Amino acid sequence: MSQNFIFQVENLQKNFGGLAVTRNVSLAMQPGDRLALIGPNGAGKTTFVNLVTGHLRPDSGTVRLGGDDVTRFNPTQRVRHGLVRSFQVTRLFLDMTPEEHIALAILQRNKQSGRMFGNYMALSGMRSEVDELLSTLGLDSLRHSKVRQIAYGQQRLLEIALAMALRPKVLLLDEPAAGVPQSDTGRIEEALAKLPDNLAVLMIEHDMDLVFRFAKRVIVLAAGEIIFDGSPADVTRDPRVREAYLGSYGHDSSVA
């Protein structure tokens, strides 16, 4: 495959007790790609995510980051190599502030976690990087509020900020709008639009409106295998996709 690919999955296979839950899945992403992975419940999306992030070991196949084979890397090693995942359920410290969360993520990235107990904001470049991330994610006015005091949608934004603090080359967003009120999903979209142009983003999401507005490319997973890989406009016309997942949504000609 071309050396331009920042992320490649080749013939990934995973069986549980003889049942194939991931069936020879292959995909590749270039810097700047905006890819959505969708599929019905039970399609194998969670297994796929766990395989590419190192939480599960595949029975066969390879995962590459920047051309390097990371198939045997653990999750922490993959993060250091540039693959960062946000979770569909927030994992935040309720009594810490957004500023503290982001600073801790930066310290972890720089292997300086022990500095969290000192004047960490005085470290070179710390304040400017924290300020930039808070501003990009629209959280600057909440920087000193405890997480328990801010809305759930803003907590999801903070989680994206934490992922960005790790300086990913590939960002895997695991249902970033899950549990977020419809009135707040616009904030998620605004944040996604501000992500760096050269960052490859893979989103797993059930909110089809968000998928169609975000993605330049859509992959559909069903029964552990890819049944579609193409444009958002074409996915709604594919009969296998409509049968497997989209249902009446796929018959709506207004969807683009």
Side-chain angles (χ1 to χ4, degrees), residues 126-146:
M126 175 66 78
R127 183 168 296 280
S128 62
E129 186 171 353
V130 171
D131 288 351
E132 182 179 358
L133 284 165
L134 287 169
S135 175
T136 298
L137 277 299
L139 296 169
D140 194 56
S141 64
L142 301 169
R143 65 188 303 146
H144 297 305
S145 301
K146 292 188 184 300

Side-chain angles (χ1 to χ4, degrees), residues 36-50:
L37 178 69
I38 66 173
N41 290 330
K45 299 188 301 296
T46 299
T47 300
F48 173 79
V49 170
N50 286 332

Side-chain angles (χ1 to χ4, degrees), residues 51-82:
L51 288 169
V52 301
T53 54
H55 290 87
L56 276 178
R57 182 67 57 84
D59 294 321
S60 60
T62 57
V63 179
R64 298 180 187 277
L65 284 167
D68 295 329
D69 187 342
V70 300
T71 311
R72 305 190 76 82
F73 283 19
N74 65 35
T76 301
Q77 290 171 316
R78 296 187 196 204
V79 168
R80 289 177 181 155
H81 218 71

Side-chain angles (χ1 to χ4, degrees), residues 14-21 59:
K14 183 66 180 178
N15 301 320
F16 289 120
L19 176 66
V21 292
D59 294 321

